[in-house]
PDB file of all heavy atoms in Angstrom:
ATOM      1  N   PRO A 631      -2.288  12.154  -8.034  1.00 95.00           N
ATOM      2  CA  PRO A 631      -0.940  12.262  -8.588  1.00 95.00           C
ATOM      3  C   PRO A 631       0.061  11.314  -7.945  1.00 95.00           C
ATOM      4  O   PRO A 631       1.071  10.975  -8.579  1.00 95.00           O
ATOM      5  CB  PRO A 631      -0.570  13.721  -8.312  1.00 95.00           C
ATOM      6  CG  PRO A 631      -1.419  14.115  -7.143  1.00 95.00           C
ATOM      7  CD  PRO A 631      -2.690  13.343  -7.261  1.00 95.00           C
ATOM      8  N   GLN A 632      -0.198  10.892  -6.728  1.00 95.00           N
ATOM      9  CA  GLN A 632       0.670   9.950  -6.031  1.00 95.00           C
ATOM     10  C   GLN A 632      -0.192   8.879  -5.377  1.00 95.00           C
ATOM     11  O   GLN A 632      -1.401   9.055  -5.210  1.00 95.00           O
ATOM     12  CB  GLN A 632       1.510  10.673  -4.962  1.00 95.00           C
ATOM     13  CG  GLN A 632       2.416  11.770  -5.507  1.00 95.00           C
ATOM     14  CD  GLN A 632       3.221  12.433  -4.410  1.00 95.00           C
ATOM     15  OE1 GLN A 632       3.837  11.754  -3.583  1.00 95.00           O
ATOM     16  NE2 GLN A 632       3.233  13.759  -4.391  1.00 95.00           N
ATOM     17  N   ASP A 633       0.445   7.787  -4.979  1.00 95.00           N
ATOM     18  CA  ASP A 633      -0.290   6.627  -4.463  1.00 95.00           C
ATOM     19  C   ASP A 633      -1.202   6.986  -3.302  1.00 95.00           C
ATOM     20  O   ASP A 633      -2.321   6.474  -3.186  1.00 95.00           O
ATOM     21  CB  ASP A 633       0.701   5.545  -4.027  1.00 95.00           C
ATOM     22  CG  ASP A 633       0.008   4.319  -3.480  1.00 95.00           C
ATOM     23  OD1 ASP A 633      -0.971   3.867  -4.112  1.00 95.00           O
ATOM     24  OD2 ASP A 633       0.436   3.797  -2.440  1.00 95.00           O
ATOM     25  N   ARG A 634      -0.733   7.891  -2.418  1.00 95.00           N
ATOM     26  CA  ARG A 634      -1.489   8.172  -1.206  1.00 95.00           C
ATOM     27  C   ARG A 634      -1.972   9.612  -1.139  1.00 95.00           C
ATOM     28  O   ARG A 634      -2.177  10.157  -0.058  1.00 95.00           O
ATOM     29  CB  ARG A 634      -0.642   7.816   0.016  1.00 95.00           C
ATOM     30  CG  ARG A 634      -0.452   6.309   0.184  1.00 95.00           C
ATOM     31  CD  ARG A 634       0.575   5.972   1.238  1.00 95.00           C
ATOM     32  NE  ARG A 634       1.932   6.242   0.776  1.00 95.00           N
ATOM     33  CZ  ARG A 634       3.016   6.074   1.511  1.00 95.00           C
ATOM     34  NH1 ARG A 634       2.912   5.684   2.764  1.00 95.00           N
ATOM     35  NH2 ARG A 634       4.213   6.321   1.030  1.00 95.00           N
ATOM     36  N   GLN A 635      -2.164  10.229  -2.293  1.00 96.00           N
ATOM     37  CA  GLN A 635      -2.623  11.607  -2.370  1.00 96.00           C
ATOM     38  C   GLN A 635      -3.814  11.693  -3.293  1.00 96.00           C
ATOM     39  O   GLN A 635      -3.787  11.201  -4.426  1.00 96.00           O
ATOM     40  CB  GLN A 635      -1.498  12.512  -2.876  1.00 96.00           C
ATOM     41  CG  GLN A 635      -1.856  13.987  -2.903  1.00 96.00           C
ATOM     42  CD  GLN A 635      -0.740  14.821  -3.545  1.00 96.00           C
ATOM     43  OE1 GLN A 635       0.000  14.331  -4.407  1.00 96.00           O
ATOM     44  NE2 GLN A 635      -0.646  16.067  -3.134  1.00 96.00           N
ATOM     45  N   PHE A 636      -4.868  12.352  -2.811  1.00 97.00           N
ATOM     46  CA  PHE A 636      -6.106  12.459  -3.591  1.00 97.00           C
ATOM     47  C   PHE A 636      -6.543  13.921  -3.504  1.00 97.00           C
ATOM     48  O   PHE A 636      -6.636  14.476  -2.403  1.00 97.00           O
ATOM     49  CB  PHE A 636      -7.168  11.535  -2.991  1.00 97.00           C
ATOM     50  CG  PHE A 636      -8.230  11.085  -3.941  1.00 97.00           C
ATOM     51  CD1 PHE A 636      -8.039  11.083  -5.322  1.00 97.00           C
ATOM     52  CD2 PHE A 636      -9.449  10.612  -3.457  1.00 97.00           C
ATOM     53  CE1 PHE A 636      -9.025  10.631  -6.184  1.00 97.00           C
ATOM     54  CE2 PHE A 636     -10.439  10.159  -4.323  1.00 97.00           C
ATOM     55  CZ  PHE A 636     -10.218  10.168  -5.679  1.00 97.00           C
ATOM     56  N   ILE A 637      -6.820  14.527  -4.646  1.00 97.00           N
ATOM     57  CA  ILE A 637      -7.129  15.951  -4.688  1.00 97.00           C
ATOM     58  C   ILE A 637      -8.488  16.159  -5.342  1.00 97.00           C
ATOM     59  O   ILE A 637      -8.779  15.564  -6.385  1.00 97.00           O
ATOM     60  CB  ILE A 637      -6.043  16.732  -5.465  1.00 97.00           C
ATOM     61  CG1 ILE A 637      -4.705  16.591  -4.739  1.00 97.00           C
ATOM     62  CG2 ILE A 637      -6.427  18.202  -5.612  1.00 97.00           C
ATOM     63  CD1 ILE A 637      -3.526  17.139  -5.517  1.00 97.00           C
ATOM     64  N   LEU A 638      -9.297  17.000  -4.728  1.00 97.00           N
ATOM     65  CA  LEU A 638     -10.604  17.369  -5.281  1.00 97.00           C
ATOM     66  C   LEU A 638     -10.514  18.822  -5.747  1.00 97.00           C
ATOM     67  O   LEU A 638     -10.059  19.679  -4.999  1.00 97.00           O
ATOM     68  CB  LEU A 638     -11.693  17.226  -4.217  1.00 97.00           C
ATOM     69  CG  LEU A 638     -13.121  17.521  -4.665  1.00 97.00           C
ATOM     70  CD1 LEU A 638     -13.620  16.438  -5.610  1.00 97.00           C
ATOM     71  CD2 LEU A 638     -14.048  17.609  -3.448  1.00 97.00           C
ATOM     72  N   SER A 639     -10.951  19.070  -6.971  1.00 96.00           N
ATOM     73  CA  SER A 639     -10.784  20.402  -7.553  1.00 96.00           C
ATOM     74  C   SER A 639     -12.047  20.877  -8.245  1.00 96.00           C
ATOM     75  O   SER A 639     -12.916  20.080  -8.607  1.00 96.00           O
ATOM     76  CB  SER A 639      -9.651  20.380  -8.596  1.00 96.00           C
ATOM     77  OG  SER A 639      -8.446  19.916  -8.049  1.00 96.00           O
ATOM     78  N   SER A 640     -12.080  22.184  -8.413  1.00 96.00           N
ATOM     79  CA  SER A 640     -13.097  22.792  -9.259  1.00 96.00           C
ATOM     80  C   SER A 640     -12.499  24.049  -9.884  1.00 96.00           C
ATOM     81  O   SER A 640     -11.731  24.756  -9.237  1.00 96.00           O
ATOM     82  CB  SER A 640     -14.344  23.159  -8.457  1.00 96.00           C
ATOM     83  OG  SER A 640     -15.264  23.869  -9.263  1.00 96.00           O
ATOM     84  N   LYS A 641     -12.878  24.326 -11.112  1.00 96.00           N
ATOM     85  CA  LYS A 641     -12.397  25.548 -11.756  1.00 96.00           C
ATOM     86  C   LYS A 641     -13.246  26.741 -11.347  1.00 96.00           C
ATOM     87  O   LYS A 641     -12.755  27.861 -11.201  1.00 96.00           O
ATOM     88  CB  LYS A 641     -12.407  25.380 -13.272  1.00 96.00           C
ATOM     89  CG  LYS A 641     -11.381  24.379 -13.775  1.00 96.00           C
ATOM     90  CD  LYS A 641     -11.405  24.284 -15.289  1.00 96.00           C
ATOM     91  CE  LYS A 641     -10.365  23.286 -15.775  1.00 96.00           C
ATOM     92  NZ  LYS A 641     -10.388  23.123 -17.241  1.00 96.00           N
ATOM     93  N   LYS A 642     -14.563  26.494 -11.178  1.00 96.00           N
ATOM     94  CA  LYS A 642     -15.492  27.571 -10.805  1.00 96.00           C
ATOM     95  C   LYS A 642     -16.552  27.017  -9.873  1.00 96.00           C
ATOM     96  O   LYS A 642     -17.410  26.240 -10.300  1.00 96.00           O
ATOM     97  CB  LYS A 642     -16.168  28.165 -12.040  1.00 96.00           C
ATOM     98  CG  LYS A 642     -15.264  28.993 -12.937  1.00 96.00           C
ATOM     99  CD  LYS A 642     -16.059  29.641 -14.058  1.00 96.00           C
ATOM    100  CE  LYS A 642     -15.164  30.517 -14.922  1.00 96.00           C
ATOM    101  NZ  LYS A 642     -15.939  31.183 -16.003  1.00 96.00           N
ATOM    102  N   LEU A 643     -16.516  27.435  -8.627  1.00 96.00           N
ATOM    103  CA  LEU A 643     -17.459  26.934  -7.641  1.00 96.00           C
ATOM    104  C   LEU A 643     -18.859  27.488  -7.850  1.00 96.00           C
ATOM    105  O   LEU A 643     -19.049  28.640  -8.254  1.00 96.00           O
ATOM    106  CB  LEU A 643     -16.991  27.291  -6.236  1.00 96.00           C
ATOM    107  CG  LEU A 643     -15.848  26.441  -5.670  1.00 96.00           C
ATOM    108  CD1 LEU A 643     -15.300  27.075  -4.408  1.00 96.00           C
ATOM    109  CD2 LEU A 643     -16.304  25.018  -5.422  1.00 96.00           C
ATOM    110  N   LEU A 644     -19.844  26.640  -7.545  1.00 95.00           N
ATOM    111  CA  LEU A 644     -21.248  27.031  -7.541  1.00 95.00           C
ATOM    112  C   LEU A 644     -21.743  27.075  -6.100  1.00 95.00           C
ATOM    113  O   LEU A 644     -21.171  26.430  -5.217  1.00 95.00           O
ATOM    114  CB  LEU A 644     -22.079  26.020  -8.329  1.00 95.00           C
ATOM    115  CG  LEU A 644     -21.639  25.715  -9.757  1.00 95.00           C
ATOM    116  CD1 LEU A 644     -22.467  24.560 -10.317  1.00 95.00           C
ATOM    117  CD2 LEU A 644     -21.768  26.948 -10.638  1.00 95.00           C
ATOM    118  N   LEU A 645     -22.842  27.784  -5.877  1.00 94.00           N
ATOM    119  CA  LEU A 645     -23.436  27.808  -4.532  1.00 94.00           C
ATOM    120  C   LEU A 645     -23.761  26.386  -4.058  1.00 94.00           C
ATOM    121  O   LEU A 645     -23.596  26.056  -2.886  1.00 94.00           O
ATOM    122  CB  LEU A 645     -24.710  28.658  -4.528  1.00 94.00           C
ATOM    123  CG  LEU A 645     -24.528  30.168  -4.547  1.00 94.00           C
ATOM    124  CD1 LEU A 645     -25.881  30.860  -4.695  1.00 94.00           C
ATOM    125  CD2 LEU A 645     -23.821  30.662  -3.288  1.00 94.00           C
ATOM    126  N   SER A 646     -24.202  25.556  -4.995  1.00 91.00           N
ATOM    127  CA  SER A 646     -24.609  24.188  -4.659  1.00 91.00           C
ATOM    128  C   SER A 646     -23.437  23.297  -4.274  1.00 91.00           C
ATOM    129  O   SER A 646     -23.636  22.158  -3.845  1.00 91.00           O
ATOM    130  CB  SER A 646     -25.363  23.555  -5.829  1.00 91.00           C
ATOM    131  OG  SER A 646     -24.561  23.559  -6.991  1.00 91.00           O
ATOM    132  N   ASP A 647     -22.213  23.792  -4.420  1.00 93.00           N
ATOM    133  CA  ASP A 647     -21.046  23.005  -4.009  1.00 93.00           C
ATOM    134  C   ASP A 647     -20.791  23.092  -2.506  1.00 93.00           C
ATOM    135  O   ASP A 647     -19.944  22.369  -1.976  1.00 93.00           O
ATOM    136  CB  ASP A 647     -19.803  23.470  -4.760  1.00 93.00           C
ATOM    137  CG  ASP A 647     -19.857  23.143  -6.242  1.00 93.00           C
ATOM    138  OD1 ASP A 647     -20.371  22.069  -6.596  1.00 93.00           O
ATOM    139  OD2 ASP A 647     -19.390  23.975  -7.055  1.00 93.00           O
ATOM    140  N   SER A 648     -21.512  23.950  -1.831  1.00 93.00           N
ATOM    141  CA  SER A 648     -21.361  24.040  -0.365  1.00 93.00           C
ATOM    142  C   SER A 648     -21.700  22.702   0.278  1.00 93.00           C
ATOM    143  O   SER A 648     -22.632  22.016  -0.137  1.00 93.00           O
ATOM    144  CB  SER A 648     -22.293  25.121   0.191  1.00 93.00           C
ATOM    145  OG  SER A 648     -21.890  26.398  -0.234  1.00 93.00           O
ATOM    146  N   GLY A 649     -20.942  22.356   1.306  1.00 93.00           N
ATOM    147  CA  GLY A 649     -21.208  21.104   2.001  1.00 93.00           C
ATOM    148  C   GLY A 649     -20.002  20.661   2.785  1.00 93.00           C
ATOM    149  O   GLY A 649     -19.006  21.385   2.902  1.00 93.00           O
ATOM    150  N   PHE A 650     -20.114  19.463   3.310  1.00 93.00           N
ATOM    151  CA  PHE A 650     -19.034  18.872   4.092  1.00 93.00           C
ATOM    152  C   PHE A 650     -18.407  17.783   3.246  1.00 93.00           C
ATOM    153  O   PHE A 650     -19.082  16.842   2.827  1.00 93.00           O
ATOM    154  CB  PHE A 650     -19.608  18.318   5.394  1.00 93.00           C
ATOM    155  CG  PHE A 650     -18.573  17.881   6.383  1.00 93.00           C
ATOM    156  CD1 PHE A 650     -17.679  18.787   6.905  1.00 93.00           C
ATOM    157  CD2 PHE A 650     -18.508  16.565   6.789  1.00 93.00           C
ATOM    158  CE1 PHE A 650     -16.717  18.388   7.823  1.00 93.00           C
ATOM    159  CE2 PHE A 650     -17.549  16.152   7.711  1.00 93.00           C
ATOM    160  CZ  PHE A 650     -16.653  17.067   8.226  1.00 93.00           C
ATOM    161  N   TYR A 651     -17.107  17.902   2.982  1.00 96.00           N
ATOM    162  CA  TYR A 651     -16.401  16.978   2.104  1.00 96.00           C
ATOM    163  C   TYR A 651     -15.516  16.054   2.936  1.00 96.00           C
ATOM    164  O   TYR A 651     -14.704  16.495   3.749  1.00 96.00           O
ATOM    165  CB  TYR A 651     -15.550  17.748   1.087  1.00 96.00           C
ATOM    166  CG  TYR A 651     -16.389  18.448   0.051  1.00 96.00           C
ATOM    167  CD1 TYR A 651     -17.000  19.669   0.327  1.00 96.00           C
ATOM    168  CD2 TYR A 651     -16.591  17.879  -1.208  1.00 96.00           C
ATOM    169  CE1 TYR A 651     -17.792  20.306  -0.616  1.00 96.00           C
ATOM    170  CE2 TYR A 651     -17.376  18.517  -2.157  1.00 96.00           C
ATOM    171  CZ  TYR A 651     -17.969  19.722  -1.848  1.00 96.00           C
ATOM    172  OH  TYR A 651     -18.759  20.337  -2.787  1.00 96.00           O
ATOM    173  N   LEU A 652     -15.694  14.783   2.680  1.00 96.00           N
ATOM    174  CA  LEU A 652     -14.929  13.773   3.398  1.00 96.00           C
ATOM    175  C   LEU A 652     -14.094  12.958   2.430  1.00 96.00           C
ATOM    176  O   LEU A 652     -14.585  12.526   1.392  1.00 96.00           O
ATOM    177  CB  LEU A 652     -15.857  12.821   4.150  1.00 96.00           C
ATOM    178  CG  LEU A 652     -16.453  13.303   5.472  1.00 96.00           C
ATOM    179  CD1 LEU A 652     -17.606  12.403   5.871  1.00 96.00           C
ATOM    180  CD2 LEU A 652     -15.406  13.325   6.557  1.00 96.00           C
ATOM    181  N   CYS A 653     -12.855  12.741   2.796  1.00 97.00           N
ATOM    182  CA  CYS A 653     -11.991  11.814   2.077  1.00 97.00           C
ATOM    183  C   CYS A 653     -11.949  10.516   2.876  1.00 97.00           C
ATOM    184  O   CYS A 653     -12.055  10.549   4.117  1.00 97.00           O
ATOM    185  CB  CYS A 653     -10.595  12.413   1.950  1.00 97.00           C
ATOM    186  SG  CYS A 653      -9.392  11.388   1.091  1.00 97.00           S
ATOM    187  N   ALA A 654     -11.827   9.402   2.204  1.00 96.00           N
ATOM    188  CA  ALA A 654     -11.757   8.121   2.890  1.00 96.00           C
ATOM    189  C   ALA A 654     -10.834   7.184   2.120  1.00 96.00           C
ATOM    190  O   ALA A 654     -10.590   7.368   0.930  1.00 96.00           O
ATOM    191  CB  ALA A 654     -13.149   7.496   3.025  1.00 96.00           C
ATOM    192  N   TRP A 655     -10.348   6.184   2.839  1.00 95.00           N
ATOM    193  CA  TRP A 655      -9.552   5.152   2.170  1.00 95.00           C
ATOM    194  C   TRP A 655     -10.051   3.781   2.595  1.00 95.00           C
ATOM    195  O   TRP A 655     -10.724   3.626   3.611  1.00 95.00           O
ATOM    196  CB  TRP A 655      -8.059   5.309   2.473  1.00 95.00           C
ATOM    197  CG  TRP A 655      -7.650   4.996   3.874  1.00 95.00           C
ATOM    198  CD1 TRP A 655      -7.631   5.864   4.930  1.00 95.00           C
ATOM    199  CD2 TRP A 655      -7.189   3.742   4.383  1.00 95.00           C
ATOM    200  NE1 TRP A 655      -7.196   5.221   6.072  1.00 95.00           N
ATOM    201  CE2 TRP A 655      -6.911   3.922   5.769  1.00 95.00           C
ATOM    202  CE3 TRP A 655      -6.973   2.481   3.815  1.00 95.00           C
ATOM    203  CZ2 TRP A 655      -6.435   2.899   6.564  1.00 95.00           C
ATOM    204  CZ3 TRP A 655      -6.498   1.456   4.617  1.00 95.00           C
ATOM    205  CH2 TRP A 655      -6.244   1.676   5.978  1.00 95.00           C
ATOM    206  N   SER A 656      -9.748   2.790   1.780  1.00 93.00           N
ATOM    207  CA  SER A 656     -10.074   1.414   2.126  1.00 93.00           C
ATOM    208  C   SER A 656      -9.052   0.513   1.450  1.00 93.00           C
ATOM    209  O   SER A 656      -8.289   0.946   0.583  1.00 93.00           O
ATOM    210  CB  SER A 656     -11.484   1.033   1.682  1.00 93.00           C
ATOM    211  OG  SER A 656     -11.537   0.860   0.271  1.00 93.00           O
ATOM    212  N   THR A 657      -9.065  -0.746   1.880  1.00 86.00           N
ATOM    213  CA  THR A 657      -8.208  -1.718   1.207  1.00 86.00           C
ATOM    214  C   THR A 657      -9.091  -2.680   0.420  1.00 86.00           C
ATOM    215  O   THR A 657      -9.954  -2.265  -0.331  1.00 86.00           O
ATOM    216  CB  THR A 657      -7.314  -2.443   2.225  1.00 86.00           C
ATOM    217  OG1 THR A 657      -8.135  -2.987   3.260  1.00 86.00           O
ATOM    218  CG2 THR A 657      -6.330  -1.462   2.844  1.00 86.00           C
ATOM    219  N   ARG A 658      -8.912  -3.973   0.614  1.00 81.00           N
ATOM    220  CA  ARG A 658      -9.614  -4.965  -0.183  1.00 81.00           C
ATOM    221  C   ARG A 658     -11.091  -5.011   0.216  1.00 81.00           C
ATOM    222  O   ARG A 658     -11.469  -4.474   1.259  1.00 81.00           O
ATOM    223  CB  ARG A 658      -8.983  -6.327   0.039  1.00 81.00           C
ATOM    224  CG  ARG A 658      -9.027  -6.778   1.493  1.00 81.00           C
ATOM    225  CD  ARG A 658      -8.137  -8.001   1.713  1.00 81.00           C
ATOM    226  NE  ARG A 658      -8.210  -8.484   3.071  1.00 81.00           N
ATOM    227  CZ  ARG A 658      -7.602  -7.902   4.098  1.00 81.00           C
ATOM    228  NH1 ARG A 658      -6.871  -6.825   3.917  1.00 81.00           N
ATOM    229  NH2 ARG A 658      -7.729  -8.402   5.310  1.00 81.00           N
ATOM    230  N   PRO A 659     -11.941  -5.665  -0.577  1.00 82.00           N
ATOM    231  CA  PRO A 659     -13.345  -5.838  -0.183  1.00 82.00           C
ATOM    232  C   PRO A 659     -13.442  -6.480   1.196  1.00 82.00           C
ATOM    233  O   PRO A 659     -12.603  -7.328   1.534  1.00 82.00           O
ATOM    234  CB  PRO A 659     -13.888  -6.786  -1.268  1.00 82.00           C
ATOM    235  CG  PRO A 659     -13.006  -6.540  -2.446  1.00 82.00           C
ATOM    236  CD  PRO A 659     -11.650  -6.255  -1.882  1.00 82.00           C
ATOM    237  N   PRO A 660     -14.386  -6.164   2.057  1.00 82.00           N
ATOM    238  CA  PRO A 660     -15.587  -5.386   1.754  1.00 82.00           C
ATOM    239  C   PRO A 660     -15.433  -3.877   1.855  1.00 82.00           C
ATOM    240  O   PRO A 660     -16.418  -3.168   2.064  1.00 82.00           O
ATOM    241  CB  PRO A 660     -16.564  -5.897   2.806  1.00 82.00           C
ATOM    242  CG  PRO A 660     -15.702  -6.208   3.983  1.00 82.00           C
ATOM    243  CD  PRO A 660     -14.431  -6.748   3.403  1.00 82.00           C
TER     244      PRO A 660
END
Side-chain angles (χ1 to χ4, degrees):
Chain A
Q632 300 180 49
D633 180 45
R634 290 170 286 178
Q635 184 186 29
F636 205 22
I637 298 171
L638 183 70
S639 304
S640 174
K641 292 182 180 178
K642 289 185 178 181
L643 283 168
L644 306 173
L645 284 174
S646 58
D647 292 323
S648 293
F650 189 62
Y651 289 81
L652 281 165
C653 180
W655 70 272
S656 74
T657 53
R658 60 192 183 284

